[in-house]
Amino acid sequence: MGNLIKAEFRKTLTLKAWWALMIPAVVFAFAFALFWGMVTNDFSDFLGRSDTRELTEALGISTGELPVGLLALGHGINIGTMIPIIFGVFALAGEYTKKTITTTFLTAPNRVSALSAKMITYVAWGAIYGVIIVAAASLGTVITVDSERLPTAGQWLGVLGAGVLATILATLFGIGVGAVWRSVIGSIITLTIWMLVVENVLVFVSFGAWDITWLGGVLPNGTVNGIVGAIGAEAFGAAGVKVPGLQDETAWALQYAAGAPGAFSWWASALIFFGWTMVFFLAGWAVNQKKDIT
């Protein structure tokens, strides 16, 4: 197994995809954190002065102490997490596209070993992406958010852990989708349209038209975003244990500001997205156990 893992790392490092995708991951994470930091730094203007006053009174803190930096971090990390998903797609679908999957399977003792080595390798890559994405989002947040509104050291470490968990699961999710689809272009186009367009429209329409606040908390994009975003929402009393008397509309707005509309809590989001990941990963595993590679 050790030799297979080394081979997977060498295979990845010889290609340009790992660093070519790292560039947009850093740029998007930094830019979105920078933008949302500017938007939410003056939180009263963002949410409304009466809602802000009610929220701060319930939390027992002043407006200037609200950790709005968590909101900027959530958006920056969430958009950056799309890139590890795409990177994961290349893991197996890329080998089918380049016709190297035959060599991969024939040089391993069996397909289970080959796929296990690939999974372990991309878990490590997902963690690397996570650390770099969190760092880029943190830089954008520090630049735009007032120092007294930045996360505490404990909150930042929580975001770092959640961000790494999110990118690891996102990478495995991408592998699963790519393994089922076996097409890089088809997988990326489908995932991008679903995650960034279709699902967001569904969440907004369901909330605006039918007052359904939970849909984002169960769909793939919403749950991967909720792993980090819900930490910010929980800090404002809008997820997990909610602030008493907080209206559903205000809670949803706070969740949206944190990048996790509909999220129940960070750990619930992680469990639900883990379920989505396993559905596609195991389906891809099963498909590739029987796939003719000749």
Side-chain angles (χ1 to χ4, degrees):
M1 180 62 73
N3 289 332
L4 289 176
I5 294 172
K6 289 179 183 178
E8 284 295 331
F9 268 106
R10 288 171 181 166
K11 189 187 303 179
T12 306
L13 289 171
T14 57
L15 301 174
K16 299 178 181 178
W18 72 271
W19 62 262
L21 289 172
M22 191 74 76
I23 295 172
V26 170
V27 171
F28 289 152
F30 174 78
F32 271 68
L34 194 75
F35 171 76
W36 278 94
M38 290 187 291
V39 170
T40 59
N41 192 49
D42 193 346
F43 195 75
S44 294
D45 290 343
F46 176 76
L47 188 62
R49 296 187 183 278
S50 61
D51 287 328
T52 302
R53 184 170 59 252
E54 181 181 338
L55 182 63
T56 53
E57 289 175 354
L59 294 173
I61 59 177
S62 67
T63 302
E65 296 173 341
L66 284 168
V68 297
L70 288 171
L71 309 182
L73 275 174
H75 279 280
I77 294 169
N78 287 348
I79 191 65
T81 301
M82 274 298 301
I83 305 301
I85 293 177
I86 294 173
F87 183 59
V89 167
F90 280 90
L92 208 58
E95 292 220 42
Y96 277 106
T97 300
K98 295 180 179 180
K99 310 299 183 184
T100 59
I101 193 66
T102 302
T103 303
T104 296
F105 283 155
L106 291 180
T107 54
N110 51 63
R111 296 191 185 187
V112 172
S113 298
L115 294 173
S116 297
K118 194 174 287 290
M119 179 188 72
I120 294 170
T121 302
Y122 279 83
V123 164
W125 276 111
I128 293 170
Y129 267 85
V131 172
I132 293 174
I133 288 170
V134 171
S138 297
L139 179 59
T141 300
V142 168
I143 291 174
T144 52
V145 176
D146 296 339
S147 59
E148 64 273 13
R149 296 175 177 177
L150 291 171
T152 63
Q155 288 173 328
W156 188 86
L157 286 174
V159 167
L160 174 61
V164 170
L165 175 61
T167 52
I168 288 174
L169 291 177
T171 305
L172 294 179
F173 179 78
I175 293 175
V177 173
V180 172
W181 199 285
R182 298 193 297 276
S183 166
V184 171
I185 296 176
S187 298
I188 291 175
I189 291 175
T190 302
L191 280 172
T192 302
I193 293 175
W194 174 263
M195 303 282 270
L196 299 183
V197 180
V198 176
E199 190 171 316
N200 283 307
V201 170
L202 286 174
V203 170
F204 272 100
V205 170
S206 64
F207 175 72
W210 304 298
D211 201 28
I212 297 174
T213 60
W214 50 264
L215 188 61
V218 297
L219 296 176
N221 186 57
T223 50
V224 70
N225 287 345
I227 297 174
V228 174
I231 294 177
E234 288 177 17
F236 285 83
V241 179
K242 294 185 179 181
V243 170
L246 189 67
Q247 296 181 357
D248 288 343
E249 291 78 7
T250 303
W252 195 89
L254 286 166
Q255 291 170 3
Y256 174 77
F264 306 108
S265 64
W266 75 267
W267 59 267
S269 295
L271 286 175
I272 296 170
F273 187 66
F274 176 77
W276 282 111
T277 300
M278 287 299 99
V279 166
F280 283 96
F281 194 84
L282 293 176
W285 191 294
V287 167
N288 282 274
Q289 290 303 307
K290 300 178 181 180
K291 175 68 177 177
D292 184 6
I293 58 170
T294 58

